[in-house]
Amino acid sequence: MRRVRYNVAASLDGYIATAAGGYDWIPQDSTVDFAALFAKVDTVLLGRHSYRAAKQAGETVWPAGSRVFVFSTTLRPEEHPDVTIVNANADTVVANLRTEPGDGDIWLFGGGQLFSRLLVAGQVDCVEVTIAPMLLGGGIPLSASGAPEVQLTLEGTTQYPSGMVTLNYHVRGTSR
Amino acid sequence: MRRVRYNVAASLDGYIATAAGGYDWIPQDSTVDFAALFAKVDTVLLGRHSYRAAKQAGETVWPAGSRVFVFSTTLRPEEHPDVTIVNANADTVVANLRTEPGDGDIWLFGGGQLFSRLLVAGQVDCVEVTIAPMLLGGGIPLSASGAPEVQLTLEGTTQYPSGMVTLNYHVRGTSR
């Protein structure tokens, strides 16, 4: 079974981007081992807002050659030929991706709404949050309002010179 | 100068209590060193909601003998004789507490609104968040919406058997 990993950077107060989608508050830190993540991932999942923000950034922010699925009911597939637009049944699509052959990981890139929807459907295995030493005071939340209450198990932590700290969890289940 | 320390437990998604003020999602963990905190603190600051929640809990949740200041424009001082109700000029009151003689710490117990107000006024020295292995999906936020963007410096982390992780920061300043 392939794992779905919600791997994001967040501020200490739980935002993954500013309200405008900005990421410039995340410290550049060359000691963060993106290579380890990229080596394991072959599939990327994004909501519409996260996809727009990633395209605006203009860089390759996921492993080259990955299959990219963007969950949106408004984007037109013909305008985004490099990705697969999924406009219905996100839960089923992800459930099918998880049972595909192979052992590549599925990177849930963001955002909070897609995360919350997949949590409800029991389709998220790991939550990996790199906390930047910032309070944003607002922005795009790590988990959407109204998401279920979910218990996690801490797997480990990593501290970086920039003051970022990665907290790795696996999902135990919803408690209510 | 006495330090103001915002020391709270929070969910991974940045909530310090459920919407109803509940704390029962925070694991009991006897290895958390409350004694070290209690030994340093002689003054406690709370907003109205946090004060109500603490009273409902019915336990002594701060050091015995502490001076307790509750910031509220609606609570009536005569109904709360054990604490000092502050209904105006929170910033000035806290600025004065910080410059009092002695080296006892001032514990900003909660909540997010009081924290944000004191951040704006430059009256918070340390942010110490113990992250429980939970996603709440909603509740009382760690920092109030509209709080300033604030840069922090990581001082250290502590990991507990329950899966809680304390992140200790000092406040560098607001960036915008």
Side-chain angles (χ1 to χ4, degrees), chain A residues 103-114:
Chain A
D103 63 355
D105 286 342
I106 301 167
W107 183 4
L108 173 49
F109 190 93
Q113 289 182 26
L114 180 59

Side-chain angles (χ1 to χ4, degrees), chain A residues 13 133 135 137 142-143 146 149-150 152, chain B residues 13 133 135 137 143 146 149-150 152:
Chain A
D13 50 350
L135 294 163
L142 176 74
S143 69
E149 198 165 296
V150 174
L152 306 169
Chain B
D13 50 351
L135 294 162
S143 69
E149 198 165 294
V150 174
L152 306 169

Side-chain angles (χ1 to χ4, degrees), chain B residues 71-87:
Chain B
F71 296 81
S72 168
T73 56
T74 56
L75 293 181
R76 299 171 59 181
E78 61 271 26
E79 294 175 1
H80 303 276
D82 297 337
V83 304
T84 301
I85 304 291
V86 179
N87 66 15

